[in-house]
Amino acid sequence: MRKWLRWGAILGLVVLSGGVAVACWALAASRAALDGDLTVSGLSAPASVHRDRLGVVTIDASNERDAMRALGFVHAQERFFEMDLMRRSAAGELSALFGPVALERDKQARMHRLRARVDADLAHMAGTQLATITAYAEGVDAGLAALRARPWPYLLLRTQPEPWRISDTALAGYALFFDLHDENNRRELSLWRIRQVVPDALYRLIAVNGSEWDAPLLGEPYGNAPLPGPEVLDLRTLPTPENDDDLRVINAHPLAAQTPREGSNFAEPLLPGSNNFAVAGALTADGRAIVANDMHLGLRAPNIWFRARLRYPDRRAPTGQVDVSGFTLPGVPAVIVGSNSHIAWGFTNAYGDWLDWYRVQYTDASHTRYATPDGDQPVRVSQERIVVKGAPDTLLAVRETRWGPIMAHDGDDGLALRWTAHQGGLNFDLGDFAHAADLDAALVIARGVGIPAQNLLIADASGRIAWQLLGRIPHRVGGCDPRAPLDPMAGCDWEGFEPQPPQLIDPPAQRLWSANARVADGEALAMIGDSGYALGARAAQIRDGLFAREQFTEADLLAIQRDDRSVFLSRWHRLMQAQANTAGDDALDQLAALAASWDEHASTTARSYPLVRAWRLAVIKRIELGLLAPARVALGADIAMPYLAQIEGVAWPLVETQPAHLLARRFASWQALFGDAAREVLDSAEVDASGQARPWGERNPAAICHPLANALPSVLRATLCMAFDPLPGDNNMPRVQGPAFGASERMVVAPGHEAQGVIHMPGGTSGNPLSPFWAAGHDDWVQGKHTPFLPGETRHTLRLSPGRD
């Protein structure tokens, strides 16, 4: 979803064409109703919407459908524009709102034809939740209609909001697939192409799958990559590009949300992910189990999540009453993560293998037919019409096979993409967690949930905890290598989904953790796959924090979430200091002197931390340059190189042993490489004009803004942003934080003890800058304060009554 945030800058002329007075009127008139009485058609009985001092909503209703109708009403009043962006992003319909600037993004999304797929399969996708989804959609339209003016962004964009359809709720869910999966499977394709053109020993270094930082729940760390000797691999004998001195970034992760800080070349990709960890009742004073969760996503104002508490009678609930609190996703009728007083749950992105390429063997010269195990089939061609604001419609021809759309080629063969999102990977069963009585019941529900695959951690009120892979896992047959295009003519295929996902229930250590790194090994890993796990340093620091004590409270788990200790980089600081004493390089000596006193934390005042961080990234960039050089020659400059998520497992043994045969050819020695990296850091914005290191907080200020903020003149831009606070934390530590990336929520809660829980999120509940809740609670997130999990005392009450249908 963060891809469309970059488009705001081109809207300046649109914004400037409106008057300030008109804009202020639109903002005021499009604020949500907070108090009073309104009628809502479709309600079976009166419902109420309470808000506390932060704008956190509590909905009291007579049944689930009424609760979801009221939730849709509130979501629309506070967040309709953001909901619209989600459905349009998944459907490839942003151009109708933004014009030609969004056309290429829409073309990419339209290749998946998700609106057509949803329309064709909505009844099956919705299942028993259809009535609930219908009530929610009708509530959204009622909330939109009840505003005195259309949401203010539509005035700036000179367009009208379109009604919310039932299918749009599915598209809002699919937007998360785009956020959390590599929807074009670029990494897998890049690695496969590299594998064809480089020696096997070199490929093993490029595709290294772990390091000594691994901290799996199942299995052992893989350790760093063994380095081949010169008789096996010698980079000095392999080809290198003519522009081998070009140190611009040559690879990027398709999900990366972080862009380089102003004036900096040292932006390590910050990838959609999360932390979650849990302790069982054996490790607390009164037997409560506690779950902690912070989901790392691109940050904007308003936040992606919306806090809510839902209360209504339901005979499926253990006490006959649902009382569920946590974070909802505007566009979807469910609490996504939270607690229902019987169970609490949270997620991290699993980074398994949810997409495969299929080899398409054409059987005619015009490439209109292809071979299948059941005989030749025609390639289906769908003409997707893309409406473009201010320009003619665009037609996009999508060529599809029984396995998915043809999105790449290998010689004369096509490559079709199969993705769980195409294959019924989404449903709305996650909402049933609101009714779950205990851990066992929740795990049964989890087996049927269809969302982008996640590491699910659950705790229940009896003190038990469990991990389970949540989401649809392809059941692959044929014994084929999923890292290469599958050959269906050789029996390689998907046959539905795995019936039983990997899980770990009641762990003997009484602790669980995940942080987007590899969590499993053996058969479980073979089932899940690997689409580029995060380096294990963050998971390892969380694990070590959990084993550092034998008894926990909610405050102890919050402390782990806030942990910004620079454990991972400490050895790189020692390396810098050691090399400065021996390399005889003036630049490295100068940099080491600036970074001599090591910062133990990535605090806002840290000065050595950003220097060592930048130097490590500069060194690794030069190592990658050497490793990928032969592939760049063989494949050409136009072929994107993959992001090497586990490169630390190769880089560290290289810098420790400094073998000449594995050094990039442009450098005469490893000392020359270290010095060259130091010169880049000294010449960068990490060092100020006086030659002093700039503090980390100056390099890491909050930039959490509305999608349209860049359209405003600079003097007004801040009105659509949260405060530009200096922020502690970084990648490779529990407190993940970039200027516009990081913990999109924090939650620490024990089921049955919600009153002692903690909750944060950046920004406020409202998407309207004139609302009292635009930034309410944001400072608690910045400071990591102990903010109560449950909503506070009611400050506003909106009463909703049944209207005439």
Side-chain angles (χ1 to χ4, degrees):
M1 274 178 285
R2 285 201 48 79
K3 296 172 185 175
W4 45 260
L5 295 181
R6 303 187 186 101
W7 305 334
I10 63 92
L11 298 173
L13 292 177
V14 177
V15 175
L16 291 174
S17 67
V20 173
V22 174
C24 290
W25 174 86
L27 283 167
S30 62
R31 286 181 296 185
L34 304 182
D35 297 285
D37 297 272
L38 292 173
T39 59
V40 176
S41 296
L43 283 175
S44 66
S48 59
V49 179
H50 310 281
R51 286 177 169 88
D52 69 2
R53 67 178 182 85
L54 300 179
V56 179
V57 165
T58 298
I59 293 175
D60 288 308
S62 296
N63 53 62
E64 183 179 55
R65 293 181 191 175
D66 282 0
M68 295 310 166
R69 190 178 298 273
L71 181 64
F73 185 96
V74 172
H75 279 170
Q77 292 229 313
E78 299 283 22
R79 299 286 190 85
F80 186 83
F81 179 66
E82 290 71 33
M83 295 164 61
D84 192 12
L85 293 178
M86 289 184 66
R87 64 175 172 180
R88 289 178 181 274
S89 178
E93 296 170 355
L94 288 161
S95 297
L97 199 60
F98 293 106
V101 68
L103 183 57
E104 289 306 313
R105 173 66 184 87
D106 277 353
K107 286 181 178 179
Q108 293 176 26
R110 283 293 180 95
M111 292 297 297
H112 300 284
R113 302 186 65 242
L114 285 180
R115 185 172 288 283
R117 294 179 192 277
V118 167
D119 288 343
D121 198 38
L122 182 60
H124 179 264
M125 187 182 301
T128 60
Q129 307 286 343
L130 183 59
T132 300
I133 298 167
T134 301
Y136 176 83
E138 291 173 353
V140 170
D141 286 338
L144 183 63
L147 292 172
R148 292 188 295 124
R150 57 187 157 166
W152 63 270
Y154 296 98
L155 180 68
L156 300 184
L157 295 169
R158 295 184 177 181
T159 188
Q160 294 288 337
E162 295 183 0
W164 191 264
R165 291 177 277 180
I166 299 172
S167 58
D168 291 333
T169 291
L171 290 169
Y174 272 125
L176 292 180
F177 279 80
F178 284 86
D179 260 10
L180 302 175
H181 292 178
D182 174 8
E183 72 271 16
N184 295 320
N185 211 17
R186 285 166 286 190
R187 176 183 180 273
E188 185 174 293
L189 186 60
S190 294
L191 286 174
W192 174 70
R193 284 173 167 159
I194 290 171
R195 191 177 176 186
Q196 311 308 303
V197 298
V198 301
D200 182 66
L202 177 54
Y203 178 77
R204 290 177 181 275
L205 297 180
I206 293 170
V208 61
N209 61 358
S211 75
E212 62 189 289
W213 293 98
D214 292 350
L217 291 174
L218 305 174
E220 299 298 326
Y222 287 163
N224 294 330
L227 300 180
E231 72 285 356
V232 176
L233 177 66
D234 191 337
L235 295 183
R236 297 169 296 188
T237 66
L238 297 179
T240 190
E242 293 182 3
N243 63 337
D244 194 32
D245 59 346
D246 184 358
L247 286 173
R248 291 174 298 179
V249 174
I250 57 175
N251 53 358
H253 197 287
L255 300 182
Q258 179 68 6
T259 56
R261 294 169 174 84
E262 182 179 356
S264 175
N265 296 323
F266 308 110
E268 188 169 18
L270 295 175
L271 308 178
S274 308
N275 302 327
N276 64 0
F277 43 100
V279 293
L283 301 180
T284 62
D286 58 3
R288 70 180 68 180
I290 311 174
V291 169
N293 184 217
D294 47 295
M295 296 188 284
H296 307 149
L297 296 168
L299 304 180
R300 58 166 169 78
N303 187 30
I304 183 174
W305 308 114
F306 185 90
R307 286 184 59 190
R309 182 180 190 179
L310 308 177
R311 302 188 294 202
Y312 53 90
D314 195 312
R315 64 170 181 255
R316 294 170 294 177
T319 62
Q321 178 78 18
V322 165
D323 185 354
V324 60
S325 300
F327 292 97
T328 66
L329 176 67
V332 176
V335 172
I336 305 301
V337 296
S339 179
N340 73 354
S341 79
H342 305 284
I343 66 163
W345 69 97
F347 304 139
T348 67
N349 197 28
Y351 282 97
D353 187 4
W354 322 122
L355 304 93
D356 278 328
W357 293 104
Y358 275 64
R359 186 169 295 280
V360 179
Q361 300 177 36
Y362 296 111
T363 58
D364 64 336
S366 59
H367 291 185
T368 61
R369 299 187 66 82
Y370 65 100
T372 79
D374 301 319
D376 288 6
Q377 297 286 332
V379 175
R380 301 188 306 275
V381 181
S382 298
Q383 296 292 338
E384 290 285 307
R385 181 176 296 276
I386 303 175
V387 176
V388 184
K389 179 183 175 183
D393 293 355
T394 294
L395 288 179
L396 176 70
V398 179
R399 291 164 46 83
E400 290 191 279
T401 69
R402 66 195 298 179
W403 307 296
I406 300 171
M407 299 182 64
H409 290 85
D410 178 39
D412 290 335
D413 291 344
L415 295 177
L417 186 63
R418 197 163 202 181
W419 184 17
T420 54
H422 300 159
Q423 306 294 319
L426 176 72
N427 62 33
F428 300 96
D429 291 354
L430 180 64
D432 287 340
F433 276 177
H435 318 128
D438 55 27
L439 187 74
D440 292 332
L443 291 174
V444 170
I445 293 169
R447 282 202 296 271
V449 170
I451 63 172
Q454 303 288 294
N455 292 301
L456 167 68
L457 290 194
I458 305 181
D460 75 7
S462 72
R464 299 176 66 202
I465 59 175
W467 162 79
Q468 181 168 298
L469 205 293
L470 181 72
R472 302 299 177 85
I473 304 174
H475 176 64
R476 295 177 171 93
V477 298
C480 305
D481 184 356
R483 298 172 301 171
L486 303 183
D487 183 358
M489 302 304 291
C492 306
D493 207 348
W494 292 9
E495 288 186 356
F497 298 112
E498 294 287 352
Q500 176 59 58
Q503 59 184 196
L504 177 58
I505 303 172
D506 299 324
Q510 311 294 326
R511 301 162 173 89
L512 291 170
W513 62 91
S514 73
N516 314 120
R518 178 177 62 86
V519 294
D521 204 354
E523 292 183 2
L525 180 61
M527 182 187 298
I528 299 169
D530 179 357
S531 67
Y533 289 118
L535 182 68
R538 176 162 45 98
Q541 196 162 331
I542 292 170
R543 175 203 60 195
D544 294 347
L546 291 173
F547 280 95
R549 57 191 309 134
E550 293 300 321
Q551 195 167 88
F552 294 86
T553 65
E554 286 85 348
D556 297 321
L557 270 65
L558 177 62
I560 294 176
Q561 288 183 325
R562 297 177 58 198
D563 182 5
D564 59 9
R565 289 177 301 129
S566 47
V567 175
F568 171 68
L569 281 181
S570 61
R571 67 182 187 182
W572 283 89
H573 176 258
R574 293 192 296 271
L575 175 70
M576 176 192 288
Q577 300 301 315
Q579 291 300 315
N581 294 328
T582 60
D585 186 284
D586 291 343
L588 185 56
D589 290 346
Q590 181 183 349
L591 185 63
L594 288 174
S597 179
W598 178 233
D599 298 304
E600 297 294 334
H601 295 259
S603 67
T604 58
T605 59
R607 292 182 182 269
S608 61
Y609 176 83
L611 295 181
V612 174
R613 175 187 185 277
W615 184 68
R616 171 188 172 265
L617 291 173
V619 168
I620 283 181
K621 182 164 60 174
R622 287 154 175 80
I623 289 172
E624 290 179 337
L625 191 77
L627 295 177
L628 292 169
R632 293 168 63 204
V633 171
L635 297 174
D638 293 336
I639 300 297
M641 295 291 104
Y643 172 63
L644 308 182
Q646 301 292 335
I647 190 63
E648 182 75 13
V650 175
W652 188 250
L654 284 176
V655 298
E656 275 197 311
T657 60
Q658 301 178 19
H661 64 286
L662 298 178
L663 177 67
R665 286 176 55 180
R666 63 168 296 201
F667 300 108
S669 67
W670 282 93
Q671 288 69 35
L673 184 152
F674 296 148
D676 192 58
R679 273 182 285 281
E680 185 182 8
V681 176
L682 291 172
D683 291 341
S684 74
E686 310 300 328
V687 178
D688 65 23
S690 66
Q692 299 301 307
R694 297 172 66 183
W696 179 238
E698 189 177 321
R699 306 302 296 134
N700 200 43
I704 303 171
C705 298
H706 191 275
L708 301 184
N710 285 335
L712 294 179
S714 58
V715 294
L716 297 177
R717 180 174 179 266
T719 63
L720 293 184
C721 299
M722 297 297 110
F724 301 108
D725 298 296
L727 298 174
D730 193 17
N731 208 0
N732 295 315
M733 59 183 59
R735 191 167 189 163
V736 170
Q737 189 62 69
F741 185 90
S744 62
E745 53 82 35
R746 294 191 192 104
M747 175 185 82
V748 183
V749 63
H753 302 271
E754 286 77 9
Q756 288 81 51
V758 183
I759 200 165
H760 299 142
M761 74 176 193
T765 57
S766 179
N768 190 306
L770 292 188
S771 167
F773 309 126
W774 163 252
H778 176 73
D779 187 61
D780 292 348
W781 174 84
V782 172
Q783 304 298 328
K785 295 178 182 177
H786 193 292
T787 308
F789 178 82
L790 292 177
E793 179 183 350
T794 296
R795 299 288 182 89
H796 302 274
T797 298
L798 178 66
R799 292 171 292 275
L800 305 178
S801 301
R804 294 180 180 179
D805 293 328

